[in-house]
């Protein structure tokens, strides 16, 4: 009768003996002494309550019970090898899952590079990506890594914020606009233009812009509402008006459109990567943070 749990190491020794055909050959293959192999076999037979090996002349061969066990052990050791490999991969950050949330303009500018790097270095890692503008209210709802602008929530327990980039705003203008050739333009100089709103969600970036315009003495005269930066830029290209947005959102402009830095004041959004403490030590999270820092350095 089997008592307790079978020793996996003894099962490996037993399987080697069956495959090798002798205790001496198994000992040589395993790097053990023959007496150590014999001790493991004796202990395994005691654990199982079965006679697993019988002597035939000067050699040995498995009994019927031994052959049946050896066949079943093959599957167990295969699965155990897979588990051990997975544990090693998890320890090295090569598998498992990592959730990353980002906001729209970062998604277009940085996330392709992040995903490409992770697929190259961690091909078995599952990336769970999501577009998320706000900070989740519950700790359990937080992604492993969130790239965000709004600074609220950065000091919560269980996460650490890493500053990536201070992203100043630019005015996106048609090439025939009077300020299109300027090196910079004051916000107040744009007060009489037809403005295209670029943030349907009325998020933090838009509020930041409104605050800057109020500081310059006017409220932006929005005539057209777009839901996102690319649509607003397309409206500018069509000659409908101007739009003001963070520089990162104006990376890929269509022909006939330019981006001019705005001043007096200079609205700026600060971009952070917020990493959960529970994954901060993993190679995968460190790799993502490294790619984000490099992308921010190139954009700065």
């Amino acid at each position: 009768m089997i008592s307790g749990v079978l020793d996996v190491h003894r099962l490996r020794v037993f399987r080697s003996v069956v495959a090798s055909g002798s205790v001496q050959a198994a000992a040589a293959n395993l790097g053990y002494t023959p007496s150590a192999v014999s001790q493991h076999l004796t202990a395994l037979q005691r654990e199982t309550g079965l006679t697993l090996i019988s002597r035939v002349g000067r050699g040995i061969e498995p009994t019927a019970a031994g052959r049946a066990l050896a066949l079943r052990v093959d599957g167990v050791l295969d699965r155990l090898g897979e588990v051990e490999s997975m544990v090693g991969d998890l320890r090295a950050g090569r598998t498992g899952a990592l959730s990353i949330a980002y906001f729209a303009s970062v998604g277009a500018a940085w996330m392709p590079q992040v995903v490409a790097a992770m697929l190259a270095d961690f091909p078995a890692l599952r990336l769970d990506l999501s577009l998320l503008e706000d900070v989740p209210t519950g700790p359990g709802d937080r992604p492993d890594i969130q790239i965000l602008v709004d600074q609220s929530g950065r000091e919560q327990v269980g996460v650490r914020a890493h500053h990536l980039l201070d992203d100043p705003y630019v005015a996106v203008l048609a090439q025939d606009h009077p300020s299109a050739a300027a090196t910079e333009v004051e916000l107040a100089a744009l007060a009489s233009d037809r403005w295209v709103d670029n943030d349907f969600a009325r998020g933090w970036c838009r509020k930041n812009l409104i605050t800057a315009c109020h500081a310059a003495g006017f409220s932006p005269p929005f005539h057209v509402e777009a839901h996102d930066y690319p649509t607003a830029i397309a409206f500018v290209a069509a000659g409908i008006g101007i739009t003001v947005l963070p520089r990162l959102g104006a990376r890929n402009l269509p022909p006939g459109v330019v981006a001019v830095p705005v001043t007096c004041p200079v609205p700026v959004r600060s971009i952070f990567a917020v990493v959960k403490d529970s994954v901060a030590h993993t190679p995968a999270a460190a790799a993502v943070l490294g790619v984000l820092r490099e992308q921010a350095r190139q954009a700065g």
Side-chain angles (χ1 to χ4, degrees):
M1 180 177 180
I2 298 176
S3 59
V5 179
L6 292 178
D7 186 296
V8 173
H9 184 62
R10 289 170 185 161
L11 290 174
R12 283 189 168 125
V13 172
F14 165 69
R15 191 65 189 90
S16 180
V17 170
V18 173
S20 303
S22 71
V23 169
Q24 289 77 11
N29 292 335
L30 296 171
Y32 295 162
T33 64
S35 62
V37 171
S38 295
Q39 289 172 16
H40 282 301
L41 286 177
T42 299
L44 181 62
Q45 292 184 118
R46 185 172 61 250
E47 287 177 350
T48 61
L50 298 170
T51 300
L52 302 174
I53 298 291
S54 63
R55 292 195 173 276
V56 178
R58 294 185 177 181
I60 61 171
E61 68 178 22
T63 64
R67 285 192 294 271
L69 180 61
L71 290 174
R72 183 59 58 91
V73 166
D74 283 343
V76 171
L77 294 181
D78 285 344
R79 289 191 293 274
L80 183 60
E82 293 172 0
V83 170
E84 290 174 337
S85 177
M86 184 189 72
V87 169
D89 285 342
L90 286 170
R91 189 180 297 117
R94 291 189 296 268
T95 192
L98 190 72
S99 57
I100 307 174
Y102 56 90
F103 57 91
S105 53
V106 157
W110 294 351
M111 291 310 297
Q113 289 75 19
V114 170
V115 173
M118 299 307 289
L119 288 177
D121 295 338
F122 302 88
L125 180 72
R126 187 182 81 247
L127 292 177
D128 297 328
L129 307 179
S130 60
L131 182 65
L132 187 62
E133 299 285 344
D134 300 320
V135 178
T137 54
D141 299 327
R142 274 192 175 279
D144 295 324
I145 300 175
Q146 183 176 4
I147 311 165
L148 52 79
V149 172
D150 189 354
Q151 297 184 20
S152 64
R154 291 194 294 111
E155 305 304 326
Q156 290 188 9
V157 175
V159 299
R160 181 182 175 188
H162 302 265
H163 177 261
L164 296 175
L165 178 69
D166 290 326
D167 192 21
Y169 286 49
V170 297
V172 179
L173 313 172
Q175 280 186 335
D176 60 358
H177 189 278
S179 298
T183 56
E184 59 184 32
V185 58
E186 294 185 6
L187 268 177
L190 303 172
S192 60
D193 281 276
R194 181 187 296 112
W195 283 51
V196 177
D197 197 351
N198 53 52
D199 188 354
F200 174 76
R202 304 293 193 268
W204 189 91
C205 294
R206 183 183 189 274
K207 295 175 183 176
N208 192 30
L209 172 61
I210 299 298
T211 299
C213 290
H214 289 169
F218 72 102
S219 292
F222 294 120
H223 288 74
V224 180
E225 185 178 85
H227 287 202
D228 51 51
Y229 295 163
T231 304
I233 292 171
F235 285 162
V236 174
I240 293 171
I242 71 162
T243 195
V244 179
L245 45 77
R247 183 174 60 189
L248 196 62
R251 293 176 75 240
N252 300 309
L253 296 177
V257 174
V258 297
V260 180
V262 296
T263 62
C264 299
V266 180
V268 176
R269 66 175 181 179
S270 295
I271 301 175
F272 292 82
V274 178
V275 183
K276 289 172 71 171
D277 293 342
S278 58
V279 302
H281 67 285
T282 65
V288 169
L289 192 57
V291 176
L292 290 174
R293 282 174 168 155
E294 176 59 22
Q295 292 301 308
R297 185 192 65 78
Q298 294 179 14

